[in-house]
């Protein structure tokens, strides 16, 4: 859910303190090693430089069950000469925003616990903000206020050194993100009349609105296909949230498309409720009606909740692995090298779903 732009700044103001506590927790050990202890203000500044913050926020009165992540990177942190003031240079990336912003703020301390307190900070054109945030053991939690709106915020932190040692961050590059707040321009929809941008409880999703529409594939294959424009990959990882909005029985499903070359040549995963040769399998369309590449017997546990789906593709080894809620153990997997590259998309064979928070990472 996109909120006022000032909220993102406010989150940055509060989120950065998560790592401060970890730094201060090591103060005694550092002092024991040094004859002259480095001032904690400088240690904080050094520790925060290059850190990445991952958090969430809620809005009072809105549904909080499907929180959207907010990611911020602190390029630099430095102590200012005046009192308890610090200057953070923060990179903000959200929607069409991608810029570095210097922010001056004050930290106060309750013994070794940092607390951020912003009272009636007015930013021209954005509004008036206030916040109270307490930091403890690498986590932060507090409240925010933007004019008449407010809520809670919380999150965790990854330091620069932690990110460098993280294989996922170092090997995978995010090449596409979508939360559907800014329209559907990034998508080619094969049957536009059966899809729509939908907003419920302040959150925008991409929704299939009818089981059957105008699109008639040339061979037996899914009816609802939405493809990402201008993106073709061989090795990638896609994750997204999906909500099945209608119980249609054994073949209740959603689909993930990849290596899509045209309507006669592509792979897709059919996450069907009850497996059979045409349901709950990894499929291929190759100049003929869809054919199963797997003999999966594990049901897909659809219900009325949101679920998380992840697909991993390695064209060199031929690996195709699909995950459903459990991101550690594949729900279905197979090895096949028929198609090595192509487009990526989401949809359904003939069911109704809504999608949100799509992230595609290119694997090196």
């Amino acid at each position: 859910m996109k909120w006022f732009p000032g909220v993102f700044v406010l989150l940055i103001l509060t989120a950065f303190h998560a790592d401060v506590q970890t730094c201060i927790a090591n103060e005694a050990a550092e002092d024991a090693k040094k004859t002259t202890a480095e001032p904690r203000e400088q240690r904080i500044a050094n520790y925060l430089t290059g850190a990445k913050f991952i958090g969430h926020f809620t809005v009072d009165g809105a549904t909080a069950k499907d929180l959207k992540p907010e990611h911020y990177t602190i390029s630099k942190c430095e102590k200012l000469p005046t009192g308890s003031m610090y200057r953070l240079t923060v990179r903000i990336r959200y929607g069409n925003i991608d810029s570095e912003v210097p922010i001056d703020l004050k930290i106060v301390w309750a013994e070794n616990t940092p607390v951020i307190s912003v009272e009636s900070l007015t930013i021209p054109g954005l509004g008036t903000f206030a916040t109270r945030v307490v930091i403890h053991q690498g986590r932060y939690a507090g409240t925010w206020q933007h004019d008449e709106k407010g809520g809670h915020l919380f999150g965790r932190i990854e330091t620069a050194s932690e990110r460098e040692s993280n294989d996922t961050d170092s090997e995978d590059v995010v090449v596409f993100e979508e939360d559907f707040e800014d329209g559907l321009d990034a998508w080619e929809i094969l049957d536009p009349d059966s899809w729509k941008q939908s907003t419920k409880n302040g959150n925008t999703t991409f929704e299939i609105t009818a089981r059957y529409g105008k699109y008639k594939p040339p061979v037996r294959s899914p009816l609802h296909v939405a493809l990402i424009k201008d993106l073709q990959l061989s090795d990638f990882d896609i994750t997204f949230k999906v909500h099945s909005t209608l119980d249609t029985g054994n073949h209740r499903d959603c689909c993930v498309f990849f290596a899509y070359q045209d309507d006669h040549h592509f792979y897709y995963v059919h996450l069907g409720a009850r497996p059979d040769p045409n349901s709950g399998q990894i499929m291929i369309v190759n100049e003929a009606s869809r054919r199963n590449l797997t003999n999966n017997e594990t049901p897909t546990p659809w219900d009325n909740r949101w679920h998380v789906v992840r697909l991993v593709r390695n064209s060199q080894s031929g690996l195709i692995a699909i995950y459903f809620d459990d991101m550690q153990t594949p729900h279905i997997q197979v090895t096949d090298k028929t198609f090595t590259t192509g487009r990526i998309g989401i949809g359904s064979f003939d069911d109704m779903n809504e999608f949100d928070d799509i992230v595609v990472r290119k694997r090196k």
Side-chain angles (χ1 to χ4, degrees), residues 198 200 205-211 242-248 252-254 302-307 351-355:
S198 179
K200 302 172 185 176
T205 63
F206 191 23
E207 184 174 6
I208 302 171
T209 58
R211 293 195 65 190
V242 60
H243 173 216
S244 175
T245 59
L246 181 67
D247 186 353
T248 57
R252 183 182 190 179
D253 79 277
C254 92
W302 291 111
D303 51 27
N304 293 323
R305 298 182 299 111
W306 281 88
H307 296 275
D351 278 293
M352 296 168 62
N353 302 305
E354 55 181 333
F355 299 87

Side-chain angles (χ1 to χ4, degrees), residues 41 77-88 103-105:
E41 291 82 3
C77 175
E78 56 185 326
K79 177 69 176 65
L80 298 178
T82 305
S84 300
M85 298 299 294
Y86 291 77
R87 174 166 295 162
L88 278 70
I103 302 171
D104 293 353
L105 52 85

